[in-house]
């Protein structure tokens, strides 16, 4: 596509690339640089860019003061669980909404999206009542107490991310030409067969994107994690990071180190999977 | 409960198999499922069931609870009141002031902003990207919001029902307009650049993912640190580039301190700073969704167009943009929904300061809950919900009509 | 048959074990030294075999902790039996019915008052609402005037007794030092909890208060105007930086610790950081004094600190009160003061040799703390605080005038309290 582009176009593209990279990465780079500084260096004028006396002590403290490795594990389990369930449910629903002639499907889609129109803040108390184990009036049965389990976060995270995931996947299924699918069905494969062999590979970019968005949403959620999982060993990364704050103090150096440790595995994971899944699936699918 | 449900399902399943064996009536539901012969509605409901059941179980009670509470006067610090039914009293207090006047002179900047949003809209309509009646609906909405709602204000002797609500409504609208537009202006080129083959592509993707991966609260805190007027790196960079000296003559002296612009302790710079932060954080979300959209465009379309002699710009307008429309709609809906709920970033950066100038609707709801005024917070949430619903229905119509 | 009997026996033994041991869950913030509290609770458990006390860790700041407790208590949960709450909260907890009244655990009213006399009057007054006791003090805090001893010595100044003195001393030192980064006077202008104190302290030290004895709001007054004008004045003459409206508690501390501030208002924690932090530029150079006042009026400062209260929905209140008694005992407070630098709430500890050996500055702190005043004691503290701090911040960021600010606060407070 870019083979015949004139010089100016390439120039603009490259300037755009560089600007984008600088703007996107600078705050993160600044955060990483800060994580190697001592606290006192942060309020010195004129400000220093490169750490004066680079130190790893902030990173050591991140793991010494709190079980941060455990926080990472918790976040990983919760986010992965929520992502797998959510993308599966959303893919099924998205396919139905995009492809099947169901009466009132626009209403259903609006209904699903509607659940994300309330600030999580006002849903917090009723959700807590639900998860602490309450008796359902009239039925004589109680919901189990799920606090301090992974399910206490996985279930609401699935529910909170379902609207966005469903909407993304609905729009991607709509993009896939219907003829491809009917061609496959005429060939003798069933609808389910068509779904798996034709539609799934073509919608891979959508699935991966939905997955990334659900995963990151769950990884970064703060309010429910703070309230539902209160034992130290069940804390997640965003809540864990706040444990390095003082009552008044905000020790930037250590917190930068904690944020860095919290996002680097996340980003590495996503980059790896994005590359793998997208190249793997689209390569297999589009040709067919 | 789950046990009972599983048992019922099992029983139903067995019964279905048995009846099918004995009589040769129409094949049963389960049989048709196995052979893939369900009609659309049946298959659809089956596929929708997991998602709908999850939402029903988790969200039904909390959402109904919000509506229920919004009609009641529960205030935790006045337990003797209990939870009296107050009807629409909260909404009357929120929405309606006494002795209202409407004058165009007031808040002129809002009107300029309104026109600024109308122009690209009409441009899109003229190019055929938007349907004419959609553009008309949007024009009317923008006129009502910017020309009428924001021009209304209380007269000398009257006052707002809840002046604080209208203040938060205004700043929320401003954030929606600026940050949604901003995140598309940054996000679309981001996605285009991440999609072309270039040795720097992985860096672009990294630059796209990092902002999205950073927890919102810490994004706010990090940017508050960058924008800090004494020790912040932004003012230092501006000073090194010589921009500070330039600004000294242009800006009000009130806005400038020893090291540069007082970003977070003056109203207008603070609004700019918060919007920049939100745009930084959210354009990667837009970028990610648009990138996925770009990846699913059939490459052969471009090849055909190139053969026909279309240049890059024409290919973008005639292929990329129309094919991206569903992805744009999704990103637009969710960017707007999250912009309406904006809370973490202004809270982390300034707690809504200077004064209450950055107290968004979300932050107002947070403060109301902290003050234990449960009923009123619920009513505010219902207003926020109505606003979201209105905008989403407009967007959804746009997706489905074409 | 045999198996059933054994099973029944096991169940019986287990049941009696469960019955005999009452579990008490104590809620503390994550920066309130959980290791130390944990070891103290273990000592308590060893001495009281019938009670098992353990702690649950909340968020870091008072606000995040409150947000969590709001959710738990609104749901009337009994998961937590005791909580450690900020000194501004007991009135709120009393009104909401979240904190259990403690009067009944004392033999008589007189015995209770006698017990309370062992504590500083400030925190006790915050916990005693219309004669009912809702919480017991754990440790206390106050805002102090920190100053650069070396600079004051160099120019031959005594710590300032009035705000005017503070201003003239700061101006002279700033001119003499010729250091462009040196600030004369630093305080908290960001829209955080501390901004209430930033306004209330000059208001009190001008002889005013937020409301009078009869309960009428008196913010829009000569004293209120004087307080806000003084704050603006510090920026106009240049002893305070123009972006004070973005300065939060720890920014002030860091800037003074870097050697850039002559006078600062801040809480007690700053002292330890100045003396002990590796990167401190002001080790041994900092003095502490009571806050200045306007000429002819008394000095006043804000009280801080944390209180132990019992969850009203708890099903183990008796046992919880035992834990409460233990946590407020002299021995435990001595450990907190000596090992965790918590400013004690018990008067006797200010002359305790062990405490003074570990924290010699507590002797100086006492004169300030004995006169510290509570921030507005009202159930609607959250609303009151939000209104005052945002309005003060608006004045300091020069987005509204002093007159408008006073009117906003006056009518706003009347609305909140009158409702």
């Amino acid at each position: 596509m870019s083979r015949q582009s004139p010089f100016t176009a390439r120039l603009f593209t490259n300037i755009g690339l560089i600007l984008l990279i600088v703007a996107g990465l600078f705050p993160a780079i600044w955060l990483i640089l800060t994580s190697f500084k001592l606290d006192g260096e942060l309020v010195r004028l004129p400000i220093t860019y490169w750490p004066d006396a680079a130190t790893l002590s902030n990173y050591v403290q991140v793991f010494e003061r709190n079980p941060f490795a455990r926080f990472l594990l918790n976040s990983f389990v919760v986010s992965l669980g929520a992502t797998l369930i959510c993308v599966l449910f959303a893919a099924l629903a998205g396919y139905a909404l995009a492809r099947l002639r169901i009466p009132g499907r626009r209403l259903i889609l609006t209904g699903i999206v509607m659940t994300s129109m309330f600030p999580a803040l006002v849903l917090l108390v009723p959700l807590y009542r639900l998860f602490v184990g309450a008796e359902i009036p009239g039925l004589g049965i109680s919901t189990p107490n799920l606090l301090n389990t992974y399910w206490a976060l996985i279930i609401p995270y699935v529910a909170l991310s379902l609207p966005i995931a469903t909407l993304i996947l609905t729009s991607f299924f709509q993009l896939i030409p219907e003829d491809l699918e009917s061609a496959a069905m005429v060939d003798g494969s069933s609808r389910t067969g068509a779904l798996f062999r034709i539609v799934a590979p073509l919608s891979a970019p959508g699935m991966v994107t939905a997955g990334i968005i659900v995963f990151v949403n769950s990884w970064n959620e703060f309010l429910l994690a703070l309230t539902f999982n209160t034992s130290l060993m069940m804390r997640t990364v965003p809540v864990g990071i706040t444990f390095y704050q003082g009552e008044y103090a905000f020790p930037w150096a250590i917190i930068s180190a904690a944020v860095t440790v919290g996002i680097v595995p996340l980003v590495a994971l996503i980059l790896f999977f994005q590359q793998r899944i997208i190249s793997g699936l689209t390569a297999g699918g589009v040709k067919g | 409960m789950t046990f009972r449900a599983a048992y019922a399902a099992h029983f139903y399943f067995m019964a279905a198999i048995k009846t099918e064996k004995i009589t040769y009536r129409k094949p049963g539901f389960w049989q048709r499922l196995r052979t893939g012969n369900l009609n659309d509605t049946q298959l659809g409901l089956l596929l929708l069931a997991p998602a709908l059941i999850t939402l029903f179980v988790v969200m039904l009670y909390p959402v109904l609870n919000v509506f229920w509470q919004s009609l009641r006067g529960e205030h935790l610090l006045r337990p003797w009141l209990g939870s009296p039914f107050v009807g629409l009293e909260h909404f009357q207090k929120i929405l309606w002031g006494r002795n209202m006047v409407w004058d165009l002179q007031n808040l002129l900047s809002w009107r300029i902003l309104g026109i600024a949003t109308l122009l690209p809209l009409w441009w899109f309509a003229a190019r055929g990207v938007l349907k004419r009646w959609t553009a008309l609906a949007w024009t009317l909405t923008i006129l009502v919001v910017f020309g009428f709602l924001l021009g209304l204000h209380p007269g000398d002797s009257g006052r707002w029902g809840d002046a604080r609500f209208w203040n938060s409504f205004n700043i929320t609208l401003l954030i929606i307009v600026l940050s949604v537009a901003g995140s598309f202006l940054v996000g679309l080129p981001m996605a285009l650049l991440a999609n072309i083959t270039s040795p720097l592509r992985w860096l672009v993707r990294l630059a796209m993912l990092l902002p999205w991966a950073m927890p919102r609260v810490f994004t706010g805190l990090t940017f508050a640190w960058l924008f800090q007027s004494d020790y912040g790196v932004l003012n230092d960079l501006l000073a090194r580039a010589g921009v500070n000296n330039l600004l000294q003559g242009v800006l009000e002296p009130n806005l400038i301190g020893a090291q540069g612009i007082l970003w977070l302790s003056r109203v207008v710079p603070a609004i700019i700073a918060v919007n920049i932060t939100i745009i930084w954080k959210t354009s990667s979300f837009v970028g990610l969704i648009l990138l996925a959209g770009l990846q699913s465009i059939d490459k052969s379309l471009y090849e055909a167009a190139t053969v026909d002699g279309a240049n890059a710009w024409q290919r973008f307008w005639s292929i990329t943009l129309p094919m991206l429309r569903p992805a744009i709609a999704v990103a637009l809906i969710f960017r707007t929904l999250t912009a309406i709920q904006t809370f973490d970033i202004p809270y982390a950066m300034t707690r809504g300061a200077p004064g209450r100038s950055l107290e968004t609707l979300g932050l107002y709801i947070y403060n109301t809950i902290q003050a234990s005024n449960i009923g009123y917070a619920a009513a505010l949430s219902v207003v926020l919900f109505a606003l979201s619903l209105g905008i989403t229905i407009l967007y959804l119509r746009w997706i489905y009509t074409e | 048959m045999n198996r059933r009997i054994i099973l029944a026996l096991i169940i019986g033994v287990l049941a009696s074990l469960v019955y005999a041991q009452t579990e008490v869950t104590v809620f503390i913030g994550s920066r309130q030294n959980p290791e130390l509290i944990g070891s103290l609770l273990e000592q308590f458990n060893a001495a009281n075999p019938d009670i098992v006390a353990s702690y649950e860790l909340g968020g870091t700041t008072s606000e995040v902790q409150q947000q969590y407790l709001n959710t738990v208590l609104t749901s009337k949960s009994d998961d937590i039996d005791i909580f450690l709450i900020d000194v501004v909260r007991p009135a709120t907890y009393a009104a909401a019915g979240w904190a259990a009244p403690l009067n009944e655990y004392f033999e008589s009213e007189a015995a209770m008052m006698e017990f309370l006399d062992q504590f500083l009057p400030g925190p006790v007054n915050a916990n005693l609402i219309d004669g009912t006791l809702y919480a017991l003090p754990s440790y206390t805090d106050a805002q102090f005037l920190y100053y650069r001893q070396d600079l004051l010595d160099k120019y031959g100044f005594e710590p300032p007794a009035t705000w005017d003195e503070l201003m003239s001393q700061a101006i002279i030192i700033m001119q003499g030092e010729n250091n462009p980064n040196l600030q004369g006077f630093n305080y908290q202008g960001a829209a955080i909890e501390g901004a209430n104190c930033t306004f209330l302290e000059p208001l009190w030290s001008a002889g005013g208060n937020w409301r009078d004895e009869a309960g009428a709001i008196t913010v829009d007054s000569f004293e209120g105007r004087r307080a806000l004008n003084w704050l603006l004045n510090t920026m106009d003459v240049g002893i305070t930086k123009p972006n004070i409206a973005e300065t939060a508690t720890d920014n002030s501390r860091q800037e003074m610790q870097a050697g850039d501030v002559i006078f600062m208002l801040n809480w007690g924690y700053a002292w330890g950081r100045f003396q002990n932090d590796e990167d401190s530029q002001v080790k041994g150079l900092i003095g502490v004094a009571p806050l200045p006042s306007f000429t002819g009026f008394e000095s006043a400062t804000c009280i801080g600190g944390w209180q132990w209260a019992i969850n009203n929905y708890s099903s183990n209140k008796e046992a919880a009160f035992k834990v409460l008694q233990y946590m407020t005992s002299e021995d435990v407070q001595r450990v907190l003061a000596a090992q965790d630098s918590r400013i004690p709430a018990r008067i006797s500890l200010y002359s305790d040799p062990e405490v003074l050996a570990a924290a010699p500055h507590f002797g100086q702190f006492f004169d300030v703390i004995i006169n510290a005043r509570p921030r507005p004691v009202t159930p609607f503290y959250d609303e009151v605080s939000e209104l005052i701090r945002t309005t003060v911040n608006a004045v300091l960021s020069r987005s509204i005038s002093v007159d408008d600010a006073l009117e906003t606060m006056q009518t706003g407070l009347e609305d909140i309290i009158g409702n």
Side-chain angles (χ1 to χ4, degrees):
Chain A
M1 178 180 157
S2 58
R3 204 175 302 143
Q4 296 153 337
S5 325
F7 174 74
T8 45
R10 256 181 299 159
L11 186 73
F12 274 118
T13 315
N14 284 329
I15 291 174
L17 262 175
I18 289 163
L19 269 180
L20 193 73
I21 292 170
V22 170
L25 292 183
F26 182 74
I29 291 173
W30 187 248
L31 197 76
I32 293 170
L33 284 178
T34 306
S35 71
F36 292 108
K37 293 178 182 171
L38 281 172
D39 226 21
E41 198 181 329
L42 304 181
V43 285
R44 204 181 301 153
L45 286 173
I47 65 167
T48 50
Y49 284 74
W50 205 247
D52 228 13
T55 169
L56 278 175
S57 70
N58 296 316
Y59 286 92
V60 175
Q61 286 201 50
V62 165
F63 288 96
E64 262 178 11
R65 281 215 224 152
N66 283 302
F68 204 80
R70 175 75 198 207
F71 296 163
L72 282 167
L73 175 76
N74 292 339
S75 276
F76 184 75
V77 171
V78 167
S79 310
L80 190 68
T83 307
L84 292 177
I85 299 173
C86 187
V87 172
L88 175 68
F89 287 7
L92 297 176
Y95 181 79
L97 291 171
R99 272 288 182 270
L100 306 175
R101 280 168 296 278
I102 308 166
R105 61 179 177 167
R106 193 190 298 177
L107 210 65
I108 295 174
L109 189 58
T110 315
I112 291 176
V113 175
M114 261 161 72
T115 56
S116 64
M117 293 179 192
F118 290 92
L121 217 53
V122 285
L123 305 177
L124 188 62
V125 170
L127 275 175
Y128 182 83
R129 283 190 194 141
L130 215 59
F131 282 92
V132 79
E135 196 172 309
I136 299 169
L139 289 182
I141 42 173
S142 307
T143 57
N145 182 344
L146 291 175
L147 298 189
N148 285 315
T149 64
Y150 288 134
W151 289 110
L153 297 183
I154 292 178
I155 296 171
Y157 289 175
V158 169
L160 287 178
S161 289
L162 259 177
I164 172 82
T166 310
L167 203 61
I168 290 176
L169 290 169
T170 307
S171 76
F172 275 95
F173 287 130
Q174 274 172 337
L175 264 186
I176 299 162
E178 212 155 336
D179 343 339
L180 268 181
E181 208 181 325
S182 16
M185 278 199 280
V186 170
D187 281 355
S189 45
S190 68
R191 184 151 217 166
T192 357
L195 184 71
F196 282 107
R197 282 194 296 107
I198 308 294
V199 180
L202 278 177
S203 59
M207 298 262 224
V208 173
T209 306
I212 291 173
I213 283 168
V214 178
F215 194 89
V216 176
N217 267 347
S218 311
W219 184 279
N220 286 340
E221 201 283 334
F222 180 79
L223 201 61
L224 301 184
L226 174 79
T227 313
F228 291 172
N229 279 2
T230 51
S231 87
L232 189 64
M233 284 301 162
M234 293 303 290
R235 292 293 195 190
T236 57
V237 170
V239 181
I241 295 173
T242 64
F243 286 0
Y244 300 94
Q245 258 173 278
E247 218 172 309
Y248 304 110
F250 200 86
W252 260 112
I254 296 178
I255 289 176
S256 308
V259 173
T260 307
V261 175
I263 59 175
V264 163
L266 178 64
V267 170
L269 206 73
I270 295 173
L271 272 182
F272 176 76
F273 269 95
Q274 205 186 23
Q275 215 67 27
R276 281 289 139 132
I277 297 178
I278 291 185
S279 55
L281 283 180
T282 46
V286 175
K287 297 276 154 59
Chain B
M1 189 185 166
T2 45
F3 186 76
R4 207 188 285 176
Y7 184 72
H10 171 75
F11 190 79
Y12 181 61
F13 187 59
M14 294 309 286
I17 291 172
K18 269 179 199 154
T19 44
E20 178 211 332
K21 268 185 185 162
I22 296 163
T23 64
Y24 282 86
R25 273 185 292 174
K26 281 162 75 181
F29 174 80
W30 292 106
Q31 159 131 32
R32 281 188 283 155
L33 173 64
R34 268 181 296 152
T35 54
N37 280 328
L38 292 173
N39 72 28
D40 271 12
T41 311
Q42 285 169 329
L43 180 62
L45 286 180
L46 195 73
L47 295 179
L48 278 167
L52 291 183
I53 289 171
T54 310
L55 286 176
F56 193 77
V57 169
V58 181
M59 304 300 275
L60 182 75
Y61 167 60
V63 166
L64 287 182
N65 190 65
V66 176
F67 283 105
W68 164 258
Q69 290 283 8
S70 72
L71 302 175
R72 307 203 149 246
E74 188 170 352
H75 191 303
L76 297 177
L77 301 181
R78 299 186 178 94
W80 59 89
L81 290 179
S83 181
F85 183 79
V86 297
L88 298 176
E89 205 178 275
H90 290 319
F91 296 100
Q92 193 198 342
K93 190 183 168 202
I94 292 171
L95 296 171
W96 200 241
R98 275 165 283 155
N99 195 10
M100 308 277 263
V101 292
W102 182 58
D103 81 80
L104 272 169
Q105 293 304 308
N106 193 45
L107 293 168
L108 189 68
S109 52
W110 287 105
R111 234 119 285 130
I112 295 169
L113 202 68
I115 292 168
T117 44
L118 277 178
L119 288 177
L121 187 80
W122 289 338
W123 191 62
F124 275 119
R127 300 215 52 127
V129 181
L130 278 177
K131 266 215 167 162
R132 207 166 296 157
W133 75 267
T134 319
L136 191 71
W138 272 107
T139 308
L140 281 175
T141 315
I142 291 170
L143 281 181
V144 166
V145 169
F146 285 96
F148 184 68
L149 278 183
L150 299 178
L152 266 178
H153 71 111
D156 287 338
S157 57
R159 59 180 195 152
W160 288 111
D162 183 355
R164 205 171 151 190
F165 166 78
W166 287 103
N167 170 52
S168 65
F169 182 75
N170 283 351
I171 186 67
T172 306
L173 275 187
L174 185 64
I175 287 179
I176 293 172
V177 172
L178 290 181
S179 77
V180 174
S183 61
F184 269 85
L185 283 181
V186 181
L188 180 61
M190 217 184 222
L192 291 171
L193 289 174
N195 197 37
I196 56 174
T197 341
S198 149
L200 289 178
R201 183 162 75 166
W202 71 272
L203 258 182
V204 181
R205 292 204 171 165
L206 189 67
M208 227 165 104
L209 283 172
L210 267 177
W212 176 243
M214 203 186 285
R216 277 202 301 276
V217 176
F218 294 101
T219 309
L221 290 169
T222 306
F223 272 77
W225 187 239
L226 298 180
F227 279 112
Q228 215 274 344
S229 42
D230 293 327
Y231 308 103
V233 67
L234 188 73
N235 270 349
D236 193 70
L237 287 173
L238 289 179
R240 277 164 202 262
V243 180
N244 262 356
N245 298 338
L246 219 72
L247 291 175
Q248 221 109 38
V250 183
L251 290 179
E252 264 181 77
N254 186 16
L255 300 178
I256 305 208
Q259 314 292 333
I261 298 175
L262 303 174
W263 286 106
L264 298 177
S265 48
R266 295 294 180 268
V267 176
V268 176
I271 291 176
I272 296 172
V274 165
N275 274 295
I276 289 178
T277 310
I278 298 176
I279 291 169
W280 183 81
K281 168 77 189 159
T282 54
S283 37
S284 23
F285 169 82
V286 175
L288 274 172
I289 292 185
L290 297 188
L291 175 61
L294 286 172
Q295 283 167 339
S296 50
I297 297 177
D298 197 342
K299 301 282 180 295
S300 55
L301 288 175
Y302 288 111
E303 284 156 21
T306 316
V307 171
D308 288 350
N311 64 25
W313 192 242
Q314 286 165 330
R315 288 196 300 259
F316 176 76
W317 276 110
S318 58
I319 303 173
T320 313
L321 219 51
M323 292 299 282
L324 264 187
R325 236 180 28 138
I328 291 177
V330 172
L332 203 58
I333 288 177
F334 272 85
R335 261 307 292 130
T336 313
L337 289 186
T338 45
I340 294 173
Q341 296 179 16
T342 303
F343 156 68
D344 312 52
I345 287 176
Y347 176 79
M349 286 180 82
T350 68
R351 307 209 167 201
R356 278 179 186 153
S357 61
L358 275 164
E359 188 184 58
T360 58
L361 257 176
L363 195 46
Y364 183 28
I365 292 172
Y366 171 82
N367 283 330
T368 312
I369 291 177
Q370 286 291 80
S372 302
N373 200 345
I374 303 297
Y376 202 67
L380 286 170
S381 310
V382 170
V383 172
L384 189 147
F385 166 76
L387 191 66
S388 311
L389 190 62
I391 294 179
T392 310
I393 286 177
L394 276 177
Y395 284 149
L396 279 177
R397 277 185 174 275
W398 179 43
I399 307 179
Y400 272 95
T401 40
E402 291 168 53
Chain C
M1 205 57 182
N2 260 342
R3 211 182 271 172
R4 274 197 190 173
I5 294 171
I6 293 168
L7 203 68
L9 268 175
I10 291 174
I11 290 173
V13 170
L14 284 177
S16 66
L17 272 177
V18 170
Y19 182 70
Q21 287 202 316
T22 317
E23 282 183 31
V24 174
T25 308
V26 179
F27 174 86
I28 54 171
S30 62
R31 291 315 295 158
Q32 286 162 328
N33 208 335
E35 295 87 14
L36 187 61
I37 303 263
S39 74
L40 287 169
L41 288 177
E42 265 163 38
Q43 286 174 29
F44 173 85
N45 292 342
N48 298 273
D50 55 330
I51 300 177
V52 184
S54 58
Y55 67 82
E56 182 186 310
L57 223 48
T60 315
T61 58
S62 167
E63 220 173 329
V64 174
Q65 288 162 29
Q66 186 50 37
Q67 215 233 296
Y68 169 67
L69 287 176
N70 256 341
T71 307
V72 174
L73 292 168
T74 310
S75 310
K76 301 193 190 332
S77 161
D78 66 349
D79 283 358
I80 296 168
D81 299 291
I82 298 177
F83 24 68
L84 191 55
I85 52 176
D86 199 314
V87 70
V88 296
R89 308 231 180 262
T92 305
Y93 275 56
W98 290 341
L102 303 177
N103 295 37
E104 56 187 279
Y105 300 104
F106 294 93
E107 278 167 27
S108 65
E109 207 76 351
M112 185 175 90
M113 295 319 287
E114 198 182 319
F115 176 74
L116 292 178
D117 278 345
Q118 301 168 19
F119 295 90
L120 291 166
V124 168
N125 287 336
N127 296 338
L128 204 57
I129 288 126
D130 297 329
T132 310
L133 184 68
Y134 286 97
L136 290 174
S138 172
Y139 57 87
T140 191
D141 203 349
Q143 286 222 321
F144 302 91
L145 176 73
Y146 292 90
Y147 58 89
R148 282 284 294 277
Q149 186 77 60
D150 58 327
L151 289 176
L152 263 65
D153 287 349
K154 186 172 165 189
Y155 292 84
F157 292 133
E158 285 295 306
T162 66
W163 296 114
D164 292 339
E165 251 176 75
L166 182 145
M167 187 178 281
S168 54
Q169 289 182 2
I171 291 172
I172 293 171
I173 296 175
M174 283 172 78
Q175 281 167 351
E177 286 300 300
N178 197 24
N179 169 1
N181 295 332
L182 192 65
Q183 306 167 31
F185 182 40
N186 192 305
Y187 49 88
Q188 288 85 55
I192 54 161
E193 183 54 42
N196 290 301
C197 298
T198 298
F199 171 63
L200 288 170
E201 284 158 354
L203 176 69
W204 286 334
S205 67
N209 197 0
W210 71 289
R211 66 171 164 189
D212 62 17
E213 301 282 315
I217 307 293
T218 54
V219 171
D220 196 355
S221 58
F222 172 71
E223 292 83 8
R225 190 159 285 108
R226 197 171 182 187
L228 285 182
N229 277 329
W230 149 252
L231 293 175
L232 282 181
N233 216 0
T234 61
M235 282 193 280
D236 291 340
V237 301
I239 62 169
T240 297
K241 52 181 190 167
N243 58 335
I244 198 71
E246 61 179 287
T247 305
T249 315
D250 207 46
N251 302 132
S252 301
R253 195 268 309 162
Q254 282 179 316
E255 288 163 26
M256 187 156 198
Q257 194 158 321
D260 291 343
V261 178
I262 306 169
F263 296 107
M264 172 187 73
L265 300 182
N266 213 326
W267 301 99
Y269 84 104
W271 205 89
R273 300 291 301 265
F274 294 148
Q275 306 306 329
N276 304 329
D277 272 17
E278 230 175 282
D279 56 15
S280 170
Q281 307 291 314
V282 292
K283 235 171 251 183
L285 304 180
I286 300 291
V288 180
L291 268 55
S293 60
F294 290 102
T295 317
F297 294 100
E298 289 203 358
S299 154
T301 186
C302 259
I303 196 164
W306 292 77
Q307 323 297 317
W308 291 111
I310 296 179
N311 181 359
N312 208 10
Y313 306 113
S314 160
S315 37
N316 309 315
K317 285 185 201 159
E318 290 283 340
F321 187 72
K322 276 192 190 162
V323 180
L324 215 65
Q325 267 180 317
Y326 168 76
M327 292 309 292
T328 52
S329 69
E330 194 162 2
D331 290 340
V332 168
Q333 300 219 331
R334 182 183 296 118
V335 172
L336 285 176
Q339 295 183 22
D340 200 24
S341 301
R342 298 299 187 183
I343 307 173
R346 278 179 176 269
I347 296 170
S348 61
L349 292 174
Y350 287 89
S351 49
D352 187 282
E354 196 185 318
V355 172
L356 287 180
H361 58 294
F362 283 178
Q364 277 168 284
F365 277 14
F366 186 72
D367 297 335
V368 181
I369 270 179
I370 193 79
N371 290 319
R373 295 170 69 165
R375 281 160 269 174
V377 177
T378 154
F380 310 112
Y381 182 74
D382 274 296
E383 275 175 275
V384 169
S385 151
E386 197 274 341
L387 176 65
I388 296 180
R389 66 176 186 245
T390 50
T391 318
V392 170
N393 176 271
V395 171
L396 294 178
S397 57
R398 300 192 188 266
S399 49
I400 57 173
S401 69
V402 169
D403 285 342
D404 287 349
L406 291 171
E407 198 197 318
T408 308
M409 282 200 272
Q410 178 79 21
T411 52
L413 288 171
E414 278 165 1
D415 273 355
I416 296 167
I417 304 296
N419 268 341

